[in-house]
Every structure is written in C-alpha cells, then in structure tokens.
C-alpha cells in the first residue's frame, strides 16, 4: 500500500464549496481515521437514508465495520452504496458576524459498496482491528471470540479509494468592514478526553490495572493513534 | 408543545435489537439534542447516501439545519426522506471478552422529509436557534445577518415526530462463565470539553472577554444545555 497514492476524485467526493478546505492526500485521510473513535454509517433502506454511529477499524486501505447478524443496516449494505463519515470537532469559531461563525473540524467522508467479509482469517483480523482501534492492546487482553460469537457477527469491508477529507483550522475570518465592530471574536477549542478508568466492581479485590488501560487515562482521544499498537 | 407526548413509532424507529436501550420519551430526545453539538445529516443523492456533519438548532418540536445555498445535500433534502443523527460518546466499555466490548453513548436518530423554510421570521428564528445552540448568548453578541447573507443561506425544518433514542450506560456485561477469567474489565469515561478561549489577534488591545464566552471555558460540552439561553 502506498500511503501517497492519491484518493479517487469522483462527483461524490468533489467539494463543491470551500475547496481550500479539502485534502486528497491518502495520509491525511488515514490521520483522521486513526484519530477518530467512531464513524457515522449511512445506508439506504427502503429508499430512506439511515445514519447510525458505530466503531470501525482500518487495515491498509480497507475500512472494516462490524455488527450483530441481526443488524439491519449492515444486512442492507452489502454491494449497495454506503457512506461512512468520521468527524473530529476541534473548536467553535466565533466571528464578529453571525454569518461567519464556524467550527474547526477534521472530517472524512468515504463512499463505496462494501463487501461482506466471509474468509475466517480476514474476519478475525478485521475484528482485531476494530477492537484495537478503540483501545490499543485490548485484543491480547480479552477472551477471543468463540465460534458461536463469530457466527453472530457480520463484518463488512469498504475500500478507502473514494473518499474526501475536509479540514478547517485557525481563527475567525470576518468581512473586512466588520473588523472594527465591537464584538469579541476567537476560538473555543474542543477536546475529547479519556478520564480515570472505572474498574468493574466484580474484578477480584486487588486486581492491577493493565498497562494498556493505564496508558489511555487522562489522554486526548486522538493520542490513541500515536500508541504502539496502532499504525 | 407537550414534552411528554410520546414519539411516533414506525418501522424505521423501532429498535430491532437490544430494545432495553431504547427510549421513546420526547424529553429524553430533547436532552440528547440539547447536549449534542453537531449532527450527522444523511440524504440520498443520485441513489447513494451522503452523510455530512453540521450544526443544528431546535425550537419546540422542530429541528433546524442550515447551509450555504450552494450546499448540495440541503438542495436534495427538501421533501425527501432524510436522517439526522446526534451521538454523544460517553465511554469505552472493556469487557472480559472481545465480543462484549462496548461503548457508552446517547444517540438520537430522526427521520422525516424536511420543509424548506421560506418565511423571513421563521428563517431568522431558526438561524438564531442554530447559533445559540452552539454558543448560548452568541446571537446578541454578533453582527446580525444582512439581506445578502440571508439570501445565500438555506434553512430546512424537520419535525421531531419520528425519532428514536438509544442510550447505553453502566459497566461491562460479561458471560457468566467469563467473570472468573483474569482479564481487566471496566469503563474508560470520555468527556468532550471546551478549553481556554483563544481571542482573535486582531481584536483591539485590551478587549474584554464577554461573559457568554467566559462561561463556556473549561466546561463540558453538555453543560451548554444548562445555560440561561438554552431551553
């Protein structure tokens, strides 16, 4: 996989507005996907869009989603066009005018027709990637899925070829004539952080907290992407 | 508006799995919408779902979205079925088994065919609600939109009748036979917080920070819902 291979530009991924906020670098896409925790998965069911939050994992240029075999949105996704969006909100931008109030964010929008993953090895690798994406190190520190649990799980793969990334950073951008107005302008930064771990009350007394959990406490969610187990 | 009027139950809003996580109380829906910052807006364009992050505002039982008049996703939304999803991620739940790893969250999923808002008063009220939703007090502390800016803005309204709310809280739920295993279990709480305001470098020297901004510093994003200007 060449991380510098450009993303495919199609009608769907072409930004029709504010093109300066767009990026077509594959490495920028992967940075957003690595930093994000969940995605919003959109699929058309009976003609109507359905948008649901869910976890995800990435291996190379494939994005994996999973769910219960009773999950309708995944059942309807195979071979159909879907849209997966990952958004990181970085700040509220206060401009002098209501019109130029904005947000700082990084967002990735991926289009494609997913493939149902049936190969047992790929299914297991995908579930590991989804698990590790949320909590690096968790796979090795949990009981692995049984055959019955695997049978109750659907895994789909989406190619990361048709995607767009949009990023807004920096401060307020006001109309020239508004800079003299007596309104405050600036940015309220937003951070998503992991707090202090709350051990399960049913753990044996004196259970030590494993390193992969201790490492995440009091860290920004995006720091996960810098940890040894993620790529 | 009666906040206790139950939400409409349709095929789309019926939870097909884990029904104990569902809520049909209108007040629970409003709590999630008040606490959330952005939504993910899903619309079908040329047969394919498109999911984009955007701000929103609520007045009574109507949800308002806005965008540039060049925004394709809003142009395609009028009179068509759309889906608006608001998700608050509250924690990563570590179970003893990979299969039972989970997340704590609150999510609202709203379906319906939006109406294009054309009445000037309703358009202005909607823009005020969208502005105030992100930053209570901001409307009164910014320059109001000009006719030209209003003409460049599309506003749509979505009824909050057909919606579902799903909430997961608490700790890990493991298989009975797994409680004896030597794996750590517990919750890593996640919080989205507003940091220290970064004043625009082009503000006149010595500009005071207004109260509505100072009130938000170092607060959890959900605290906005408790502030005087929100309902």
């Amino acid at each position: 996989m060449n991380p510098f291979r450009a993303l495919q530009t199609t009608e769907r991924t072409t930004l029709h507005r504010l093109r300066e906020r767009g990026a077509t670098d594959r490495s920028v896409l992967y940075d957003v996907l690595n930093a994000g925790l969940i995605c919003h998965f959109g699929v058309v069911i009976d003609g109507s869009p359905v948008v649901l939050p869910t976890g995800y994992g990435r291996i190379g240029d494939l994005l994996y989603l999973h769910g219960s075999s009773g999950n309708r949105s995944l059942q309807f996704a195979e071979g159909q066009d879907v849209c997966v969006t990952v958004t990181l909100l970085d700040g509220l931008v206060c401009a002098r005018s209501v019109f130029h109030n904005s947000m700082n964010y990084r967002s990735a929008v991926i289009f494609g027709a997913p493939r149902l993953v049936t190969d047992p090895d790929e299914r297991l690798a995908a579930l590991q990637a989804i698990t590790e994406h949320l909590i690096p190190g968790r796979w090795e520190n949990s009981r692995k899925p049984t055959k019955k649990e695997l049978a109750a799980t659907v895994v789909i793969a989406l190619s990361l070829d048709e995607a767009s990334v949009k990023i807004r950073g920096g401060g307020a951008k006001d109309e020239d004539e508004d800079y003299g107005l007596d309104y405050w302008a600036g940015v309220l930064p937003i951070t998503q952080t992991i707090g202090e771990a709350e051990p399960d009350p049913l753990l044996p007394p004196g259970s030590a907290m494993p390193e992969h959990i201790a490492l995440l406490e009091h860290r920004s969610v995006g720091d996960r992407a810098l940890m040894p187990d993620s790529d």
Side-chain angles (χ1 to χ4, degrees), chain A:
Chain A
M1 178 200 57
N2 170 9
F4 300 103
R5 179 159 53 92
L7 297 167
Q8 200 182 326
T9 302
T10 66
E11 171 65 20
R12 293 190 292 202
T13 64
T14 300
L15 299 181
H16 295 266
R17 297 183 50 253
L18 303 173
R19 285 161 209 257
E20 73 280 7
R21 294 188 187 162
T24 51
D25 259 332
R26 196 167 276 271
S27 59
V28 178
L29 172 66
Y30 294 169
D31 285 347
V32 172
L33 295 179
N34 289 348
L37 270 177
I38 60 164
C39 65
H40 280 79
F41 171 63
V43 60
V44 181
I45 302 183
D46 298 335
S48 146
V50 176
V51 178
L52 297 173
T54 186
Y56 62 90
R58 181 176 72 82
I59 301 178
D61 53 8
L62 288 175
L63 191 78
Y64 289 101
L65 307 182
H66 79 316
S68 154
S69 52
N71 181 313
R72 290 176 83 229
S73 62
L74 289 181
Q75 284 166 5
F76 276 86
E78 188 192 350
Q80 262 210 56
D81 272 337
V82 304
C83 180
V84 175
T85 300
V86 174
T87 305
L88 299 156
L89 193 56
D90 294 323
L92 303 174
V93 180
C94 302
R96 291 155 183 87
S97 65
V98 162
F99 189 73
H100 286 294
N101 276 341
S102 187
M103 287 184 252
N104 282 337
Y105 61 90
R106 291 162 284 162
S107 79
V109 180
I110 301 144
F111 295 100
R115 164 176 62 86
L116 185 68
V117 180
T118 53
D119 176 78
D121 291 340
E122 187 184 5
R123 276 166 58 81
L124 219 53
L127 294 173
Q128 180 167 353
I130 294 166
T131 303
E132 293 281 307
H133 174 75
L134 288 174
I135 303 183
R138 192 70 203 145
W139 184 261
E140 281 311 314
N141 288 280
S142 311
R143 172 178 66 68
K144 306 297 171 296
T146 62
K147 275 189 185 170
K148 193 180 156 196
E149 289 170 345
L150 287 170
T153 305
V154 173
V155 179
I156 61 172
L158 183 62
S159 151
L160 289 171
D161 281 331
E162 191 183 345
S164 65
V165 179
K166 218 170 149 184
I167 296 175
R168 195 216 186 268
K173 293 189 184 79
D174 274 298
E175 299 294 328
D176 288 345
E177 59 270 30
D178 288 342
Y179 280 92
L181 296 178
D182 189 22
Y183 290 123
W184 189 86
V187 176
L188 287 164
I190 292 180
T191 333
Q192 203 172 22
T193 45
I194 300 172
E196 196 168 309
E198 298 162 358
D200 190 310
L202 296 176
L203 285 175
S207 293
M209 188 181 299
E211 197 189 347
H212 74 287
I213 298 295
L215 267 174
L216 289 174
E217 287 186 307
H218 310 298
R219 297 289 289 268
S220 138
V221 151
D223 287 352
R224 289 163 21 267
L226 309 171
M227 293 193 176
D229 280 292
S230 64
D231 66 0

